[in-house]
Amino acid sequence: MAERKINPILKLALELGPVVVFFVAFLRLKDNSYEIGGTMYDGFILATAGFVPLMVVSTLALWKLTGKLSRMQVATLVLVVVFGGLSVWFNDDQFFKMKPTMIYLLFGGALGIGLLRGESYLKFVMEEVMPLQQEGWMILTRRLTAFFLTLAVLNEVIWRTMSTETWVYFKTFGLTAAIFVFFMTQSGVFNRYAIDDDT
């Protein structure tokens, strides 16, 4: 089923809105603890408790408006619900901090399995957006696999050795910037192996 086009600003708001709301909520709540039902929760847990349903609603809205969700979006939503839910249920922020690790291991592992089979699973996901020759897909898949696995390790190092606030900044801005920079540095592959529209 073809994806229906929607206003790009609306799409961006639905994709990034939950992350922005989580970041703002964390900044407002981070220095306080709150008693709910006889249990004390810190600001990070409360921000997470708000983020999970907001992520569900925004993803469902995207699906309703566009008629399509990528496997990556579905996998991300499942991991947000599972690890965010565990953090809130057990009142333990470690589960939510592990979520990016699990996401990047999942994506890197899936791409790596494809490479072992001599295939580029990335091609199946992005071919319509970015047509490349097969060799270009294989190069990009190898690099992205290594990149995802590196991000998984980096997330583990940061959340285990640094403060929660540092991790939130890293998660909100660092990981997003790293992905943007990665794709910007792949322009040589895109230019060399791009398939012309005429072809």
Side-chain angles (χ1 to χ4, degrees):
M1 181 178 178
E3 181 177 354
R4 293 191 295 270
K5 300 297 181 183
I6 63 172
N7 186 302
I9 295 176
L10 174 59
K11 184 176 182 182
L12 188 64
L14 289 171
E15 290 176 341
L16 298 182
V19 176
V20 173
V21 171
F22 168 79
F23 179 72
V24 172
F26 170 76
L27 290 182
R28 288 183 175 274
L29 302 173
K30 65 178 181 174
D31 296 324
N32 301 309
S33 294
Y34 303 86
E35 183 176 351
I36 301 174
T39 302
M40 296 299 296
Y41 297 92
D42 64 26
F44 181 88
I45 295 297
L46 292 183
T48 302
F51 174 74
V52 173
L54 188 57
M55 186 73 177
V56 172
V57 169
S58 66
T59 304
L60 290 176
L62 264 177
W63 179 51
K64 180 73 173 176
L65 292 170
T66 65
K68 187 176 183 180
L69 289 176
S70 69
R71 292 183 180 92
M72 190 176 295
Q73 288 171 308
V74 173
T76 299
L77 179 62
V78 169
L79 290 174
V80 164
V81 171
V82 170
F83 285 91
L86 287 172
S87 278
V88 175
W89 183 264
F90 291 107
N91 198 13
D92 186 344
D93 61 11
Q94 294 184 64
F95 292 104
F96 194 65
K97 291 176 180 177
M98 289 169 58
K99 175 187 66 70
T101 302
M102 297 299 105
I103 288 175
Y104 293 126
L105 284 177
L106 176 65
F107 293 163
L111 293 178
I113 290 171
L115 288 173
L116 292 175
R117 300 179 62 184
E119 300 178 12
S120 170
Y121 291 161
L122 184 64
K123 176 181 178 181
F124 299 133
V125 177
M126 301 183 65
E127 188 172 25
E128 293 181 5
V129 180
M130 192 173 55
L132 296 175
Q133 299 172 30
Q134 180 64 19
E135 185 177 354
W137 281 119
M138 295 303 290
I139 292 172
L140 189 60
T141 302
R142 283 194 291 271
R143 292 179 181 178
L144 194 57
T145 300
F147 177 68
F148 279 150
L149 296 179
T150 299
L151 288 184
V153 171
L154 187 59
N155 183 68
E156 284 295 298
V157 170
I158 289 178
W159 83 258
R160 290 178 184 275
T161 62
M162 299 185 184
S163 69
T164 294
E165 185 169 357
T166 299
W167 179 83
V168 169
Y169 278 96
F170 165 73
K171 168 69 176 70
T172 305
F173 301 109
L175 290 177
T176 304
I179 292 171
F180 178 77
V181 169
F182 172 82
F183 280 101
M184 289 295 291
T185 58
Q186 303 309 306
S187 59
V189 175
F190 301 145
N191 293 333
R192 181 174 180 182
Y193 296 102
I195 297 176
D196 295 334
D197 291 340
D198 294 339
T199 306

